[in-house]
Short mmCIF file of all heavy atoms in Angstrom, two decimals:
data_model
loop_
_atom_site.label_atom_id
_atom_site.label_comp_id
_atom_site.label_asym_id
_atom_site.label_seq_id
_atom_site.Cartn_x
_atom_site.Cartn_y
_atom_site.Cartn_z
N TYR J 137 -21.98 -23.09 20.54
CA TYR J 137 -22.06 -23.82 19.28
C TYR J 137 -20.81 -24.69 19.15
O TYR J 137 -19.69 -24.22 19.35
CB TYR J 137 -22.15 -22.86 18.10
CG TYR J 137 -23.30 -21.88 18.20
CD1 TYR J 137 -23.12 -20.64 18.81
CD2 TYR J 137 -24.55 -22.20 17.70
CE1 TYR J 137 -24.17 -19.74 18.92
CE2 TYR J 137 -25.61 -21.30 17.79
CZ TYR J 137 -25.41 -20.09 18.41
OH TYR J 137 -26.46 -19.21 18.51
N CYS J 167 -12.45 -24.37 5.92
CA CYS J 167 -12.86 -22.97 5.95
C CYS J 167 -13.86 -22.76 7.08
O CYS J 167 -14.95 -23.32 7.08
CB CYS J 167 -13.48 -22.56 4.61
SG CYS J 167 -13.92 -20.80 4.54
N LEU J 168 -13.45 -21.97 8.06
CA LEU J 168 -14.28 -21.62 9.21
C LEU J 168 -14.83 -20.22 8.99
O LEU J 168 -14.06 -19.27 8.79
CB LEU J 168 -13.46 -21.68 10.49
CG LEU J 168 -14.09 -21.05 11.75
CD1 LEU J 168 -15.27 -21.87 12.22
CD2 LEU J 168 -13.05 -20.91 12.85
N THR J 169 -16.15 -20.06 9.04
CA THR J 169 -16.77 -18.75 8.89
C THR J 169 -17.50 -18.41 10.18
O THR J 169 -18.41 -19.13 10.61
CB THR J 169 -17.76 -18.72 7.71
OG1 THR J 169 -17.06 -19.06 6.50
CG2 THR J 169 -18.36 -17.34 7.56
N VAL J 170 -17.07 -17.33 10.81
CA VAL J 170 -17.67 -16.87 12.06
C VAL J 170 -18.75 -15.85 11.72
O VAL J 170 -18.49 -14.85 11.06
CB VAL J 170 -16.60 -16.22 12.97
CG1 VAL J 170 -17.25 -15.68 14.25
CG2 VAL J 170 -15.52 -17.24 13.31
N HIS J 171 -19.97 -16.14 12.18
CA HIS J 171 -21.10 -15.27 11.87
C HIS J 171 -21.43 -14.39 13.06
O HIS J 171 -22.59 -14.29 13.47
CB HIS J 171 -22.32 -16.12 11.49
CG HIS J 171 -22.09 -17.00 10.31
ND1 HIS J 171 -22.04 -16.53 9.02
CD2 HIS J 171 -21.88 -18.35 10.23
CE1 HIS J 171 -21.83 -17.54 8.18
NE2 HIS J 171 -21.72 -18.64 8.89
N ALA J 172 -20.43 -13.74 13.62
CA ALA J 172 -20.68 -12.83 14.74
C ALA J 172 -21.39 -11.59 14.21
O ALA J 172 -21.06 -11.07 13.15
CB ALA J 172 -19.36 -12.44 15.40
N THR J 173 -22.37 -11.10 14.96
CA THR J 173 -23.14 -9.94 14.53
C THR J 173 -22.82 -8.73 15.40
O THR J 173 -22.08 -7.84 15.01
CB THR J 173 -24.64 -10.25 14.57
OG1 THR J 173 -24.99 -10.75 15.88
CG2 THR J 173 -24.99 -11.31 13.53
N SER J 174 -23.38 -8.70 16.60
CA SER J 174 -23.17 -7.54 17.47
C SER J 174 -21.89 -7.66 18.29
O SER J 174 -21.47 -6.69 18.92
CB SER J 174 -24.36 -7.39 18.42
OG SER J 174 -24.51 -8.54 19.23
N GLN J 175 -21.27 -8.83 18.29
CA GLN J 175 -20.06 -9.01 19.09
C GLN J 175 -19.14 -10.01 18.41
O GLN J 175 -19.55 -10.75 17.52
CB GLN J 175 -20.41 -9.51 20.49
CG GLN J 175 -21.17 -10.84 20.50
CD GLN J 175 -21.55 -11.29 21.88
OE1 GLN J 175 -21.23 -10.63 22.85
NE2 GLN J 175 -22.24 -12.41 21.97
N SER J 176 -17.89 -10.00 18.82
CA SER J 176 -16.93 -10.96 18.30
C SER J 176 -17.11 -12.29 19.01
O SER J 176 -17.83 -12.41 19.99
CB SER J 176 -15.50 -10.43 18.49
OG SER J 176 -15.28 -10.09 19.84
N ALA J 177 -16.42 -13.30 18.51
CA ALA J 177 -16.58 -14.66 19.02
C ALA J 177 -15.38 -15.09 19.86
O ALA J 177 -14.26 -14.64 19.64
CB ALA J 177 -16.79 -15.63 17.86
N LEU J 179 -13.38 -18.56 20.54
CA LEU J 179 -13.24 -19.87 19.92
C LEU J 179 -12.33 -20.77 20.74
O LEU J 179 -11.36 -20.31 21.34
CB LEU J 179 -12.65 -19.74 18.51
CG LEU J 179 -13.44 -18.98 17.44
CD1 LEU J 179 -12.64 -18.94 16.15
CD2 LEU J 179 -14.79 -19.63 17.22
N VAL J 227 -12.68 -12.92 18.36
CA VAL J 227 -12.42 -13.20 16.95
C VAL J 227 -13.48 -12.49 16.12
O VAL J 227 -14.68 -12.73 16.29
CB VAL J 227 -12.46 -14.71 16.69
CG1 VAL J 227 -12.18 -15.00 15.21
CG2 VAL J 227 -11.44 -15.44 17.57
N PRO J 228 -13.10 -11.61 15.21
CA PRO J 228 -14.10 -10.89 14.42
C PRO J 228 -14.77 -11.78 13.40
O PRO J 228 -14.24 -12.83 13.00
CB PRO J 228 -13.28 -9.79 13.74
CG PRO J 228 -11.89 -10.31 13.70
CD PRO J 228 -11.72 -11.17 14.92
N ALA J 229 -15.94 -11.36 12.97
CA ALA J 229 -16.66 -12.10 11.93
C ALA J 229 -15.82 -12.15 10.66
O ALA J 229 -15.08 -11.23 10.34
CB ALA J 229 -18.00 -11.42 11.65
N GLY J 230 -15.96 -13.26 9.95
CA GLY J 230 -15.20 -13.44 8.73
C GLY J 230 -14.85 -14.90 8.52
O GLY J 230 -15.30 -15.78 9.25
N SER J 231 -14.04 -15.15 7.50
CA SER J 231 -13.66 -16.52 7.14
C SER J 231 -12.18 -16.75 7.42
O SER J 231 -11.35 -15.86 7.22
CB SER J 231 -13.97 -16.80 5.67
OG SER J 231 -15.36 -16.74 5.42
N TYR J 232 -11.89 -17.97 7.85
CA TYR J 232 -10.53 -18.35 8.23
C TYR J 232 -10.26 -19.76 7.71
O TYR J 232 -11.16 -20.60 7.65
CB TYR J 232 -10.36 -18.34 9.75
CG TYR J 232 -10.67 -17.01 10.41
CD1 TYR J 232 -12.00 -16.66 10.70
CD2 TYR J 232 -9.67 -16.12 10.74
CE1 TYR J 232 -12.30 -15.45 11.30
CE2 TYR J 232 -9.96 -14.90 11.34
CZ TYR J 232 -11.28 -14.57 11.62
OH TYR J 232 -11.58 -13.37 12.21
N SER J 253 -17.61 -22.41 19.80
CA SER J 253 -17.69 -20.96 19.61
C SER J 253 -18.83 -20.37 20.41
O SER J 253 -19.87 -21.02 20.61
CB SER J 253 -17.88 -20.65 18.13
OG SER J 253 -18.11 -19.27 17.92
N SER J 254 -18.64 -19.13 20.83
CA SER J 254 -19.71 -18.41 21.53
C SER J 254 -20.73 -17.84 20.54
O SER J 254 -21.81 -17.39 20.95
CB SER J 254 -19.11 -17.28 22.36
OG SER J 254 -18.38 -16.37 21.54
N CYS J 255 -20.39 -17.81 19.24
CA CYS J 255 -21.28 -17.31 18.21
C CYS J 255 -21.48 -18.38 17.12
O CYS J 255 -20.68 -19.30 17.00
CB CYS J 255 -20.72 -16.04 17.57
SG CYS J 255 -20.60 -14.63 18.69
N HIS J 256 -22.53 -18.20 16.35
CA HIS J 256 -22.80 -19.15 15.27
C HIS J 256 -21.65 -19.16 14.26
O HIS J 256 -21.07 -18.13 13.94
CB HIS J 256 -24.11 -18.77 14.59
CG HIS J 256 -24.46 -19.66 13.43
ND1 HIS J 256 -24.66 -21.02 13.58
CD2 HIS J 256 -24.63 -19.39 12.11
CE1 HIS J 256 -24.94 -21.56 12.39
NE2 HIS J 256 -24.93 -20.59 11.49
N PHE J 257 -21.34 -20.36 13.75
CA PHE J 257 -20.28 -20.50 12.76
C PHE J 257 -20.60 -21.66 11.85
O PHE J 257 -21.42 -22.53 12.17
CB PHE J 257 -18.91 -20.71 13.41
CG PHE J 257 -18.74 -22.06 14.05
CD1 PHE J 257 -18.16 -23.12 13.36
CD2 PHE J 257 -19.15 -22.30 15.36
CE1 PHE J 257 -18.00 -24.37 13.92
CE2 PHE J 257 -19.00 -23.54 15.96
CZ PHE J 257 -18.42 -24.58 15.23
N THR J 258 -19.94 -21.70 10.71
CA THR J 258 -19.99 -22.84 9.82
C THR J 258 -18.57 -23.25 9.48
O THR J 258 -17.64 -22.42 9.52
CB THR J 258 -20.75 -22.51 8.52
OG1 THR J 258 -20.15 -21.37 7.89
CG2 THR J 258 -22.21 -22.22 8.80
N VAL J 259 -18.38 -24.51 9.18
CA VAL J 259 -17.05 -25.00 8.78
C VAL J 259 -17.23 -26.08 7.74
O VAL J 259 -18.14 -26.92 7.82
CB VAL J 259 -16.27 -25.55 10.01
CG1 VAL J 259 -17.00 -26.70 10.69
CG2 VAL J 259 -14.85 -25.94 9.63
N GLU J 260 -16.38 -26.04 6.73
CA GLU J 260 -16.44 -27.01 5.66
C GLU J 260 -15.06 -27.23 5.09
O GLU J 260 -14.15 -26.41 5.27
CB GLU J 260 -17.41 -26.53 4.56
CG GLU J 260 -17.00 -25.21 3.93
CD GLU J 260 -18.02 -24.69 2.94
OE1 GLU J 260 -19.06 -25.35 2.78
OE2 GLU J 260 -17.77 -23.64 2.34
#
Side-chain angles (χ1 to χ4, degrees):
Y137 304 91
C167 183
L168 167 69
T169 301
V170 177
H171 301 285
T173 53
S174 60
Q175 59 182 358
S176 54
L179 297 179
V227 180
S231 295
Y232 303 82
S253 173
S254 58
C255 295
H256 178 60
F257 72 94
T258 56
V259 60
E260 60 185 2

